[in-house]
Amino acid sequence: MAPHDLRRPFKRAAISDQQKRRELSLLRQAQNRRNAQHQARCLASSILSLQSSAPESEPEQSDIEIETVPETEHESEAFSKDPDVRRASTLRGPEARKWFAKQLMLPEWMIDVPDRLSQDWYVLARPAGKRCFVVSSNGTTVSRQRNGSILHYFPSALPAGAKTRDGSGSAQSYCILDCIFHESDQTYYVIDTVCWNGYSLYDCTAEFRFYWLNSKLEESGACNAPSHYHKFRFSAVPVYNCDQSGLYAAYTGAVPYVKDGLLFYNKHAHYQTGNTPLVLVWKDENCSQYVIDTDGKGEIPSQQQLVLELQDDRKLVTSDDPPVLFGCLDGDIIEKSGIQSGNLLRFAIGDGGLSFVDGKLEKADLVYLGKSNRARVFADSYSKVIFQFMVRHSPLKMDDLLASINSPDDQEKIPSDIEMVG
Amino acid sequence: MEVTQVLLNAQSIDGTTRKNAEESLKQFQEQNLPGFLLSLSGELANEEKPVETRKLAGLILKNALDAKEQHRKFELVQRWLFLDDNAKSQIKACLLKTISSPVSDARSTASQVIAKVAGIELPQKQWLELIGSLLSNVHQSPAHVKQATFETLGYLCEDVSPDVIDQDQVNKILTAVVQGMSASEGNIDVRLAATRALNNALGFALANFNNDRERDYLMRVVCEATQSSDMRIRQAAFECLVSISSTYYEKLASYIQDIFNVTAKAVREDDESVALQAIEFWSSICDEEIDILEEYEGVNGDSDITCFYFIKQALPALVPMLLELLLKQEENQDQDEGAWNIAMAGGTCLGLVARTVGDDIAPLVVPFIEENITKPDWRQREAATYAFGSILDGPSPEKLIPLVNVALNYMLSALIKDPNSHVKDTTAWTLGRIFEFLHGSAIGLPIITQENCQQIVIVLRQSMKDTPNVAEKACGALYFLTQGYKEVGPSSPLVPFFQEIVQSLLTVTHREDAGESRLRTAAYETLNEVVRCSTDETSPLVLQLVPVIMMELHNTLEGQKLSYDEREKQSELHGLLCGCLQVMIQKLGSSEPTKHVFMQYAEQIMGLFLRVFACKSATVHEEAMLAIGALAYATGPDFAKYMPEFYKYLEMGLQNFEEYQVCAVTVGVVGDICRALEDKIAPYCDGIMTQLLKNLSSNQLHRSVKPPIFSCFGDIALAVGEYFEKYLMWAMSALQRAAELSTHVAGDDELTEYTNSLRNGILEAYSGIFQGFKSSSKTQLLIPYAPHILQFLDGIYMEKDMDDVVMKTAIGVLGDVADTLGSHAGSLIQQSVSCKDFLNECLSSEDLMIKESAEWAKLAIARAISA
């Protein structure tokens, strides 16, 4: 039991540099491990894929001018399996347009009322405006329209959306939102969320995506009024359960934007690129100015017009997967106008109209008008053509929708409010 | 076997005789352990044997019962417990007999051995009669037996944990000890032994300190002992007070005035060894109050312990007493590494007082500084400077900056012009403290301007040519000067001086006397900080520095045959140079343009590191290993080309159990290499995984290395993906065992902290493995492990003792399981507590990292469930 040594450090710096070197190394290693981990987590096993060796494209030209790209599903086989979503935001020029054009989920038009509408579906009033993908990454935000062309290039309060936001989110952070840009109040209305802050939501149900959107968007400050580092305001769109009151609210309820129809989302559906029957659009004159398609001059043509894609064997098909056959093009026309397979062509529906057998299209009276506008990337979908046809002849009315909700079929199971996973 | 002669031979000056003796003792022990221990105890107890052999016998006995290393200690304890009962009781009888021996060395040795045996047996509820029989000794025995008995009780209290001895026995021990200390005990040696025993027994006296009457009595006895006529007893009594100050701080209020009086008297009048303990009492009170006040400022503002502000109350009397001490310096104390005197203790205590009371100290110290700083007597100037330096940590910058602004120029000039080296040493140290605490982007009003910065640099560079101890402090000051500009960036006023600063530091490293006073180390460390704080403007200069340091390292490798001392020195120098290169690699590798230029040196640097390893045959250099980690990170996949040659050193590092820091660092470097090479590390994984698994199952490896080994599993799995399959079963079973052990913790804070680091390592391993397998076709291999992992997560969640780091990793693992297994784990996850309560708790956490991980997990779970 010798006396305890009571010497204390004297005139010594509290830290040794060796210890500091050790700690800084550990810090670096921990940081690198976190990054590696985070990167692995962001490699979503999703359907997103990119061409890994994107050919260096010529400098970006006028946005609207895009090559007519053959849009077949087979093409995706040419893409490598590189699943890194982030690379999407680094694409430039036609590559980017091509890529983004294929990433949006495209609603089918409602040509009949789905079963279990009140249990399995959400409804929302679609804002009128330009549908676009908004991608924030590396301190900038880019919005791209359905054809891939850039709408705006701006700073935003979305994660990784502006250069000034220090420390918010890591280097890998980025967002992809499905939006409609509403001109008159210069607002992006977010109708779906594809990626948030580096995490892919592709494989999540609509129910979850809407929940996520509502909690995150507000939190990010993206709903705030525009400022120097946040050029456009974002806003979520009210989403209702598609029961009677929900449907009615979406249909008649006051919203700060001009409505353009109603969108119906199946609650269990994942985000799926391209046409899907699990999201539907429906319009009538009360909730949309654009029920019947207009032509290039903004006028309603006397005959319904449609765009179809010409295939190798002269077949004219829709953009659906699998494509729906509408007829064959006369060989004469092909020779005369120098059109080739893959081109998108505009037709009118003649007096013969469309004939159906057992609910299936049997014959269409097509009148060739010419090549479609060069900005078009896709042919029309089957449901769009039929919806337009019905609007002109026997439209699906709001009353039909309400009736379907109240029908005994639908009442079997008592609709209950969905508990959000929260 | 006749052990006496062997024990004598074992202490022979002749090497061969000694070696033979040691060998035969070893054989005896191996062949017949009970007989061996028995004859040692017999030797110790035998009054006819020479004192040297009795002492050595006792010592060997003691070493057969206890060891420093945990695993060895555990082995010895088991061995003793399973020893033949008959042998054990004979040994114990011998030991007890020996404490009555007239030979003091024999008694003292026996005391220690008894305590070791008690340390093993009492927790097993064995040898319960021991304390009773010792206590019976303190009545009516001859003085030397009493003395040995108290000594034994003292050792016993040191070796046995308080919860093993019941309160009744504690009461009896304390009563006996206090009686032994009292004036009624005529023998001074007995009183001294009792006083020392009390110091060790204090930890057992919680109940007695909670009882006002008993506490009063104990405190009175201790305070009386501080007034003993015997210096050793006074010193031991103050030691008791020091122990009490930390163990029973909150019980001191009614005694603090009396204690101040006795300590003040001791400080001023008593022998230095006593005075040092008296000063230590106040330093220890400062430690307590600093801890409490820090906790006050902590998360909830509540602390278990109340602060009594003893220091604040004692301030008007305490500070003058400490200032007086500052004037009692010894000549040349700055050149003597081991020096410790009352001036140093007083100054250290003053610094602690400043940290405890903050602003209040300034008005009490400033007049002393003003009065003494210009005095002709160097002691006064040094004391004034030291006082100033001591109070720089504690008071607010607002309070200190005006003082510093007045003093800075004076200090700068004193550093060059004062004739006394001691004053210059303290002045340089004080400048370092000024820069450390009052210079930097966090301080509103800068004390250093563009103008005086130049002067500071000139003075410090000049001072770096002074004697080694002064130059070392000047390097330290430069270190903090540089650090303070770290956040400033391109506008740092040091940018123009970068070149000359580096030049001066390099010159210092080449000084003949750079080995003294840690000077060379200080110069390299400062150089490291200069590099760390370099900016875009100065990075070309850092790049130029790389070949310079490489050349230094190259030159040290050219050495021929070296003596042991020279090798030690060379190894130290290698460490400094590798450390410096490591800092440069890390700095230059962190930005693309500099990394690009730096990479031209990569190959040569790696060659040098390999040579550093090669010249230390037995072991691997920690600094070189750290540097290689940084290099691998900067190099990326190309690092693969160094692997064939580097691998053996990597393996050697992983095998280095003795220097566990080296092992830990190497494990970390494996992680760096995994991230650099990714799947190219696969060819080396067999060796690495084998070694890591071996390390985990060893009880010789320091436990702190185990958590990083688990994390390393994760790094490997993430790098090699499904290739990890061949290790999966082994890794998973090691993880599972560790997970089971680390779910519940029963122990102190230290154990909880360790358990959390272990959990974090395990969880990082799971994360890496699951993410590594994610994009492979073999995810189904992981399904069988999911239930256990979820159970582990639920288990640690329910324990409620996770720290934030574990929480973040744990919730991430939940996400990883969901992400990788998808619908295969959906229902399993839904059944877990983790996916509800734990996830919700994390989602609402204020810690952003936890929240981010939780959101990821929520997403992954949503996908798994809806898939």
Short mmCIF file of all heavy atoms in Angstrom, two decimals, chain A residues 38 42 86 136 158-161 165 167-177 193-201 212 216 219-220, chain B residues 848 852 855-856 859:
data_model
loop_
_atom_site.label_atom_id
_atom_site.label_comp_id
_atom_site.label_asym_id
_atom_site.label_seq_id
_atom_site.Cartn_x
_atom_site.Cartn_y
_atom_site.Cartn_z
N HIS A 38 -24.71 3.33 -47.13
CA HIS A 38 -25.79 4.15 -47.66
C HIS A 38 -25.94 3.92 -49.16
O HIS A 38 -27.05 3.80 -49.67
CB HIS A 38 -25.50 5.63 -47.38
CG HIS A 38 -26.60 6.54 -47.79
ND1 HIS A 38 -27.76 6.66 -47.05
CD2 HIS A 38 -26.75 7.35 -48.85
CE1 HIS A 38 -28.56 7.50 -47.66
NE2 HIS A 38 -27.98 7.95 -48.74
N CYS A 42 -29.12 2.52 -51.26
CA CYS A 42 -29.80 3.30 -52.30
C CYS A 42 -29.84 2.55 -53.62
O CYS A 42 -30.53 2.97 -54.54
CB CYS A 42 -29.11 4.64 -52.49
SG CYS A 42 -29.47 5.73 -51.15
N ARG A 86 -29.23 7.42 -59.39
CA ARG A 86 -28.62 8.75 -59.37
C ARG A 86 -28.07 9.14 -60.72
O ARG A 86 -28.02 10.29 -61.09
CB ARG A 86 -27.47 8.79 -58.35
CG ARG A 86 -27.93 9.09 -56.97
CD ARG A 86 -26.81 8.84 -56.02
NE ARG A 86 -26.44 7.44 -56.07
CZ ARG A 86 -25.20 7.01 -56.02
NH1 ARG A 86 -24.22 7.86 -55.93
NH2 ARG A 86 -24.94 5.73 -56.06
N SER A 136 -34.27 16.45 -58.01
CA SER A 136 -33.32 17.31 -57.30
C SER A 136 -32.09 16.47 -57.00
O SER A 136 -32.21 15.34 -56.53
CB SER A 136 -33.93 17.82 -56.01
OG SER A 136 -34.12 16.77 -55.10
N LEU A 158 -36.11 21.17 -51.91
CA LEU A 158 -36.12 19.71 -51.83
C LEU A 158 -34.74 19.24 -51.37
O LEU A 158 -33.75 19.94 -51.61
CB LEU A 158 -36.41 19.11 -53.21
CG LEU A 158 -37.79 19.36 -53.79
CD1 LEU A 158 -37.86 18.86 -55.22
CD2 LEU A 158 -38.86 18.68 -52.94
N PRO A 159 -34.65 18.09 -50.74
CA PRO A 159 -33.32 17.58 -50.39
C PRO A 159 -32.41 17.58 -51.62
O PRO A 159 -32.83 17.15 -52.69
CB PRO A 159 -33.62 16.15 -49.91
CG PRO A 159 -35.03 16.20 -49.42
CD PRO A 159 -35.73 17.21 -50.27
N ALA A 160 -31.20 18.10 -51.44
CA ALA A 160 -30.20 18.20 -52.51
C ALA A 160 -30.65 19.10 -53.66
O ALA A 160 -30.06 19.09 -54.73
CB ALA A 160 -29.84 16.83 -53.07
N GLY A 161 -31.66 19.93 -53.41
CA GLY A 161 -32.23 20.73 -54.50
C GLY A 161 -31.59 22.09 -54.68
O GLY A 161 -31.88 22.78 -55.65
N ARG A 165 -28.02 24.52 -49.22
CA ARG A 165 -28.48 23.73 -48.07
C ARG A 165 -27.32 22.90 -47.55
O ARG A 165 -27.02 21.85 -48.06
CB ARG A 165 -29.63 22.84 -48.48
CG ARG A 165 -30.85 23.63 -48.85
CD ARG A 165 -31.86 22.75 -49.49
NE ARG A 165 -32.23 21.68 -48.60
CZ ARG A 165 -33.15 21.79 -47.66
NH1 ARG A 165 -33.78 22.93 -47.50
NH2 ARG A 165 -33.45 20.79 -46.88
N GLY A 167 -25.31 20.47 -45.19
CA GLY A 167 -25.52 19.38 -44.24
C GLY A 167 -26.86 18.69 -44.36
O GLY A 167 -27.13 17.77 -43.62
N SER A 168 -27.72 19.13 -45.26
CA SER A 168 -28.98 18.43 -45.36
C SER A 168 -28.82 17.30 -46.35
O SER A 168 -28.67 17.51 -47.54
CB SER A 168 -30.08 19.37 -45.81
OG SER A 168 -29.87 19.74 -47.15
N GLY A 169 -28.81 16.12 -45.83
CA GLY A 169 -28.70 14.97 -46.71
C GLY A 169 -27.28 14.76 -47.17
O GLY A 169 -26.48 15.69 -47.21
N SER A 170 -26.95 13.56 -47.51
CA SER A 170 -25.59 13.25 -47.89
C SER A 170 -25.41 13.49 -49.38
O SER A 170 -26.31 13.93 -50.08
CB SER A 170 -25.32 11.78 -47.56
OG SER A 170 -26.36 11.00 -48.13
N ALA A 171 -24.20 13.19 -49.83
CA ALA A 171 -23.87 13.43 -51.23
C ALA A 171 -24.75 12.61 -52.15
O ALA A 171 -25.02 12.99 -53.27
CB ALA A 171 -22.41 13.09 -51.47
N GLN A 172 -25.21 11.46 -51.64
CA GLN A 172 -26.00 10.58 -52.50
C GLN A 172 -27.46 10.99 -52.57
O GLN A 172 -28.25 10.35 -53.23
CB GLN A 172 -25.96 9.15 -51.98
CG GLN A 172 -24.67 8.44 -52.30
CD GLN A 172 -23.71 8.53 -51.14
OE1 GLN A 172 -23.99 9.21 -50.16
NE2 GLN A 172 -22.59 7.87 -51.25
N SER A 173 -27.81 12.04 -51.83
CA SER A 173 -29.22 12.32 -51.72
C SER A 173 -29.78 12.93 -53.00
O SER A 173 -29.11 13.66 -53.72
CB SER A 173 -29.40 13.25 -50.52
OG SER A 173 -30.11 14.37 -50.88
N TYR A 174 -31.00 12.58 -53.33
CA TYR A 174 -31.66 13.12 -54.50
C TYR A 174 -33.14 12.79 -54.38
O TYR A 174 -33.51 11.91 -53.59
CB TYR A 174 -31.10 12.50 -55.79
CG TYR A 174 -31.27 11.01 -55.83
CD1 TYR A 174 -32.37 10.44 -56.45
CD2 TYR A 174 -30.37 10.18 -55.19
CE1 TYR A 174 -32.56 9.07 -56.44
CE2 TYR A 174 -30.54 8.82 -55.17
CZ TYR A 174 -31.64 8.26 -55.79
OH TYR A 174 -31.82 6.92 -55.75
N CYS A 175 -33.97 13.49 -55.14
CA CYS A 175 -35.40 13.21 -55.11
C CYS A 175 -35.92 13.13 -56.53
O CYS A 175 -35.40 13.80 -57.42
CB CYS A 175 -36.18 14.34 -54.43
SG CYS A 175 -35.85 14.45 -52.69
N ILE A 176 -36.91 12.29 -56.74
CA ILE A 176 -37.62 12.30 -58.01
C ILE A 176 -39.11 12.36 -57.69
O ILE A 176 -39.64 11.48 -57.01
CB ILE A 176 -37.31 11.04 -58.85
CG1 ILE A 176 -35.80 10.91 -59.06
CG2 ILE A 176 -38.03 11.12 -60.20
CD1 ILE A 176 -35.40 9.65 -59.83
N LEU A 177 -39.75 13.43 -58.13
CA LEU A 177 -41.17 13.60 -57.85
C LEU A 177 -41.94 13.65 -59.16
O LEU A 177 -41.47 14.16 -60.17
CB LEU A 177 -41.40 14.92 -57.09
CG LEU A 177 -40.64 15.09 -55.78
CD1 LEU A 177 -40.96 16.46 -55.18
CD2 LEU A 177 -41.00 14.00 -54.81
N THR A 193 -44.60 10.33 -55.57
CA THR A 193 -43.20 10.40 -55.16
C THR A 193 -42.50 9.13 -55.64
O THR A 193 -42.96 8.04 -55.33
CB THR A 193 -43.07 10.43 -53.63
OG1 THR A 193 -44.09 11.28 -53.13
CG2 THR A 193 -41.72 10.95 -53.22
N VAL A 194 -41.42 9.30 -56.36
CA VAL A 194 -40.71 8.15 -56.89
C VAL A 194 -39.46 7.85 -56.05
O VAL A 194 -39.19 6.71 -55.69
CB VAL A 194 -40.32 8.40 -58.35
CG1 VAL A 194 -39.64 7.17 -58.92
CG2 VAL A 194 -41.55 8.74 -59.17
N CYS A 195 -38.71 8.89 -55.73
CA CYS A 195 -37.57 8.75 -54.84
C CYS A 195 -37.56 9.92 -53.89
O CYS A 195 -37.86 11.05 -54.30
CB CYS A 195 -36.25 8.77 -55.61
SG CYS A 195 -35.96 7.29 -56.55
N TRP A 196 -37.23 9.66 -52.66
CA TRP A 196 -37.12 10.75 -51.71
C TRP A 196 -35.81 10.62 -50.97
O TRP A 196 -35.55 9.60 -50.35
CB TRP A 196 -38.29 10.78 -50.72
CG TRP A 196 -38.20 12.00 -49.85
CD1 TRP A 196 -37.58 12.08 -48.64
CD2 TRP A 196 -38.69 13.31 -50.15
NE1 TRP A 196 -37.66 13.36 -48.18
CE2 TRP A 196 -38.33 14.14 -49.07
CE3 TRP A 196 -39.40 13.85 -51.23
CZ2 TRP A 196 -38.66 15.50 -49.04
CZ3 TRP A 196 -39.72 15.20 -51.18
CH2 TRP A 196 -39.35 16.01 -50.10
N ASN A 197 -34.99 11.65 -51.07
CA ASN A 197 -33.75 11.72 -50.33
C ASN A 197 -32.89 10.47 -50.49
O ASN A 197 -32.34 9.95 -49.54
CB ASN A 197 -34.06 11.96 -48.85
CG ASN A 197 -32.94 12.74 -48.19
OD1 ASN A 197 -31.96 13.12 -48.86
ND2 ASN A 197 -33.04 12.98 -46.91
N GLY A 198 -32.81 10.00 -51.72
CA GLY A 198 -31.93 8.87 -52.01
C GLY A 198 -32.63 7.52 -51.93
O GLY A 198 -32.10 6.52 -52.40
N TYR A 199 -33.80 7.48 -51.32
CA TYR A 199 -34.47 6.20 -51.20
C TYR A 199 -35.53 6.03 -52.26
O TYR A 199 -36.38 6.88 -52.45
CB TYR A 199 -35.09 6.05 -49.83
CG TYR A 199 -34.06 5.98 -48.75
CD1 TYR A 199 -34.14 6.77 -47.62
CD2 TYR A 199 -32.96 5.13 -48.87
CE1 TYR A 199 -33.18 6.72 -46.63
CE2 TYR A 199 -32.00 5.06 -47.89
CZ TYR A 199 -32.12 5.87 -46.77
OH TYR A 199 -31.16 5.80 -45.81
N SER A 200 -35.47 4.91 -52.92
CA SER A 200 -36.43 4.64 -53.97
C SER A 200 -37.76 4.23 -53.39
O SER A 200 -37.84 3.43 -52.46
CB SER A 200 -35.87 3.53 -54.85
OG SER A 200 -36.91 2.96 -55.59
N LEU A 201 -38.84 4.77 -53.93
CA LEU A 201 -40.18 4.39 -53.48
C LEU A 201 -40.91 3.60 -54.56
O LEU A 201 -42.11 3.37 -54.44
CB LEU A 201 -40.98 5.64 -53.10
CG LEU A 201 -40.52 6.32 -51.81
CD1 LEU A 201 -40.52 7.81 -51.98
CD2 LEU A 201 -41.42 5.92 -50.66
N TRP A 212 -45.87 9.07 -47.38
CA TRP A 212 -44.49 9.55 -47.34
C TRP A 212 -44.42 10.99 -47.85
O TRP A 212 -43.83 11.87 -47.25
CB TRP A 212 -43.64 8.63 -48.22
CG TRP A 212 -42.19 8.73 -47.92
CD1 TRP A 212 -41.26 9.39 -48.63
CD2 TRP A 212 -41.54 8.15 -46.80
NE1 TRP A 212 -40.04 9.26 -48.03
CE2 TRP A 212 -40.19 8.50 -46.90
CE3 TRP A 212 -41.95 7.38 -45.73
CZ2 TRP A 212 -39.24 8.11 -45.96
CZ3 TRP A 212 -41.01 6.97 -44.80
CH2 TRP A 212 -39.69 7.34 -44.92
N LYS A 216 -43.11 14.17 -45.76
CA LYS A 216 -41.78 14.67 -46.11
C LYS A 216 -41.78 16.03 -46.79
O LYS A 216 -40.92 16.86 -46.55
CB LYS A 216 -41.06 13.68 -47.05
CG LYS A 216 -40.80 12.34 -46.47
CD LYS A 216 -39.79 12.42 -45.37
CE LYS A 216 -40.28 11.58 -44.20
NZ LYS A 216 -39.54 11.75 -43.01
N GLU A 219 -42.11 18.88 -44.40
CA GLU A 219 -40.91 18.93 -43.58
C GLU A 219 -39.73 19.56 -44.31
O GLU A 219 -38.91 20.24 -43.72
CB GLU A 219 -40.58 17.48 -43.23
CG GLU A 219 -39.77 17.24 -42.01
CD GLU A 219 -39.62 15.72 -41.83
OE1 GLU A 219 -40.58 15.08 -41.37
OE2 GLU A 219 -38.54 15.19 -42.19
N SER A 220 -39.62 19.33 -45.60
CA SER A 220 -38.46 19.79 -46.35
C SER A 220 -38.46 21.29 -46.57
O SER A 220 -37.45 21.87 -46.92
CB SER A 220 -38.41 19.10 -47.71
OG SER A 220 -39.46 19.60 -48.53
N LEU B 848 -30.62 13.14 -36.16
CA LEU B 848 -30.94 13.07 -37.59
C LEU B 848 -30.49 11.77 -38.22
O LEU B 848 -31.14 11.23 -39.11
CB LEU B 848 -30.32 14.25 -38.33
CG LEU B 848 -31.06 15.57 -38.10
CD1 LEU B 848 -30.36 16.71 -38.81
CD2 LEU B 848 -32.51 15.46 -38.55
N GLU B 852 -32.87 9.26 -40.13
CA GLU B 852 -32.65 8.91 -41.52
C GLU B 852 -32.64 7.39 -41.70
O GLU B 852 -33.29 6.86 -42.60
CB GLU B 852 -31.31 9.49 -42.01
CG GLU B 852 -31.23 9.55 -43.51
CD GLU B 852 -29.81 9.85 -44.00
OE1 GLU B 852 -28.86 9.68 -43.23
OE2 GLU B 852 -29.67 10.23 -45.16
N GLU B 855 -36.14 6.04 -41.38
CA GLU B 855 -36.98 6.26 -42.56
C GLU B 855 -36.65 5.26 -43.65
O GLU B 855 -37.53 4.75 -44.34
CB GLU B 855 -36.81 7.69 -43.05
CG GLU B 855 -37.51 8.64 -42.11
CD GLU B 855 -37.34 10.10 -42.45
OE1 GLU B 855 -36.51 10.40 -43.33
OE2 GLU B 855 -38.02 10.91 -41.83
N TRP B 856 -35.37 4.99 -43.77
CA TRP B 856 -34.95 3.97 -44.73
C TRP B 856 -35.59 2.63 -44.35
O TRP B 856 -36.13 1.91 -45.20
CB TRP B 856 -33.42 3.89 -44.75
CG TRP B 856 -32.88 2.52 -44.87
CD1 TRP B 856 -32.31 1.78 -43.89
CD2 TRP B 856 -32.86 1.71 -46.04
NE1 TRP B 856 -31.94 0.56 -44.38
CE2 TRP B 856 -32.28 0.49 -45.69
CE3 TRP B 856 -33.29 1.90 -47.35
CZ2 TRP B 856 -32.09 -0.54 -46.60
CZ3 TRP B 856 -33.12 0.87 -48.26
CH2 TRP B 856 -32.52 -0.33 -47.88
N LEU B 859 -39.27 2.44 -45.10
CA LEU B 859 -39.46 2.24 -46.53
C LEU B 859 -39.26 0.80 -46.94
O LEU B 859 -40.08 0.20 -47.64
CB LEU B 859 -38.37 3.05 -47.23
CG LEU B 859 -38.82 4.24 -48.00
CD1 LEU B 859 -37.62 5.09 -48.31
CD2 LEU B 859 -39.47 3.76 -49.26
#
